[in-house]
Amino acid sequence: MADLTITLPDGSTRTLPEGATGVDLAADIGPGLAKAAIIANVNGDGRDLDRPLPDGATVAIVTADSDEGLHTLRHSTAHVLAQAVLELWPGATYAIGPPIEHGFYYDFELPGGVTFSQDDLEAIEARMRLIVDADQAFERCEAGADDALELFADHRFKREIIEQVTSGDADTELAGEAAADGTVTYYRNGDGFIDLCTGPHVPTTGRLGHFALQKVAGAYWRGDERQPMLQRIYGTAWADKKALKGHLHRLAEAEKRDHRRLAAELDLVSWPEALGPGLAVWHPKGALVRKLIEDYSRARHEAGGYDFVYSPHIAKSILWETSGHLDFYADGMYPPMEVDGAIYYPKPMNCPFHVAIFQSGQRSYRDLPRRFFELGAVYRYELSGAIHGLLRSRGFTQDDSHIFCTPDQVLGELASLLDFTLSVLRAFGFEDFQAKLSTRPFEKSVGEDALWDMAIDGLRSALESAGLDYVVDEGGGAFYGPKIDVDVTDAIGRPWQLSTIQLDFNLPERFKLEYVGADGGRHRPVMIHRALMGSIERFFGVLIEHYAGAFPLWLAPEQVRVLPVADEHQAYAESVRNHLVAAQFRATVDPADEPLGKRVRAGKVAKVPHVLVVGDDDAANGTVGDNARGAEAPERDLPLDEFLERLSASVEARL
Ligand SMILES: [Zn+2]
Ligand SMILES: [Zn+2]
């Protein structure tokens, strides 16, 4: 019998007997791998492990700890979901069920107009566990179009898929559901459960099990509202118990931290219906935190050599024509309004206004770099379905900078910009950052080669000297210049994209910006756009979720709440409050109208960093009892002066 030569990903080769499968290869490499194997990747395509390997192929054994392995695991779990539903609801029919980020879903239609309720998920999950315990093999089958239609005679959505893939005009979504090439592929397991599919799958259902069903939602067949409404069940699946538990924990934490819920509970922000979707109003407490964020940002920018500027919310169409926004950003802009015969647009960006400021006088190389900074409100059209509280809204305030410099100054500006950005973000409790460098697009771009090369080198060396982890998105930059995006990781490990440093070789050209160089000639400056927090709204939303609403002392809208034990301590409580206020702290008194325990709990629910309780001894000795947020027990008989000193130290350290 002839042998097969297989190349492994590390370049080494193995010789196996003809007919050898992925299982054989995995076993040949080692017993550990044989146990962990999910599928084989053959020349770049995933395949079931039990399929024979072709001679000369490059083969990687895929395990569940890779993206490809997890994808297969989730996909296979979706089959088991469909199997369970069809077993539990005779007459049910199924549509499509792809793997998605963190899990999978499957769309169904139950007989007689019945719909799933959230309570059904438990029974479905139990049925899925039986299928997993039965350790059924996934068997790959092929059929001609007519036979396939016969096999799925009772399932109209599957028949539609078969008709589409066999006629060759399936879109990419459906093409993955069943291979064409004259035949239709499907998989069989258990007592005759079949599903259209191109595979691959885990070898047996016993390889699955670390999953949970999550929710039921409605979904139109093919995402088309003229088509039938189906019932979609979502689930999550992982390689092991620990990963599943970790994910469910993160979801529960994220739910607890949802800024829209906390914004209401803590009376920070609301979205009145009368304003329209994606438009928030800031209540006094939210506005106070916002002011503290903005004050800090302004102070840092002032120290960083920025000039503050302001610009209006609307401008004539000529500005947006010159800037190019009406060409390439029209979809993101609000419709125009006519005033005195001229057309005006609400601004989606601040850049052209800062350009206008630069253009307002003659600039010499001696004046550069000029760094303009504005907390500039912008309005951008977002689909109503994409709106998400403060994180994605239709009106928001960018902490926007535009830096105009000579080409020689670009490197120095980039290096200091990144340091500045990280230092400001760190002040808000973020420690982990991940950056992305987007380089010159392969197709169309503007600007000289030398400028692009220098800018990309500059961004790269700024990333390296800052010691940041970064990935390179080759060719992913805008046509007008390269950029760095910085993600912060929040307290529960979620990344949030906040900062962008974007080079721009285009706007200076479009607006014909100039400065007079040392040679007396006219030169074009380079422009850098920089948003640090991104927008104040989004940043505040991220902060609420990062801190779960428990803002550090320096940002807390109410820093100290003083509770008199009884009415006779009211005067002392007020004098403590007055001392605190005189020392620039935000303090209130909650009088003894309610029982003490209830008031202490209310202070904790409001996430006040320090709830002070004052009684007879305190009034006599000038002390307080401090219930610090997060502390296990109250600290009694604390001299007021000492308490004040501690507060000052915490605020100073921005803790
Ligand atoms: Zn499948
Ligand atoms: Zn800009």
Side-chain angles (χ1 to χ4, degrees), residues 72 75-79 97 99 106 138 176-177 186-187 195-201:
T72 305
H75 170 93
S76 303
T77 310
H79 275 254
Y106 217 116
F138 280 101
E177 293 287 318
Y186 64 95
Y187 278 77
D195 196 356
L196 282 180
C197 189
T198 56
H201 296 101

Side-chain angles (χ1 to χ4, degrees), residues 68-83:
E68 195 181 2
L70 261 181
H71 185 88
T72 305
L73 209 110
R74 290 168 179 156
H75 170 93
S76 303
T77 310
H79 275 254
V80 173
L81 166 60
Q83 187 178 353

Side-chain angles (χ1 to χ4, degrees), residues 19 83 89 141 148 176 238 331 358 368 399 412 453 462 480 538 587 606:
Q83 187 178 353
W89 278 270
C141 314
W238 297 83
D331 290 349
F358 184 85
L368 303 183
D399 61 332
D453 292 345
Y480 49 84
R538 183 174 154 80

Side-chain angles (χ1 to χ4, degrees), residues 602-615:
K604 289 196 168 155
V605 169
K607 301 183 193 284
V608 178
H610 296 276
V611 176
L612 302 185
V613 173
V614 293

Side-chain angles (χ1 to χ4, degrees), residues 239-259:
D240 55 47
K241 194 172 169 181
K242 194 171 155 224
L244 173 65
K245 264 182 83 173
H247 179 67
L248 294 178
H249 177 72
R250 279 193 300 278
L251 284 182
E253 271 297 311
E255 170 78 33
K256 266 194 266 171
R257 289 165 182 264
D258 188 317
H259 75 279

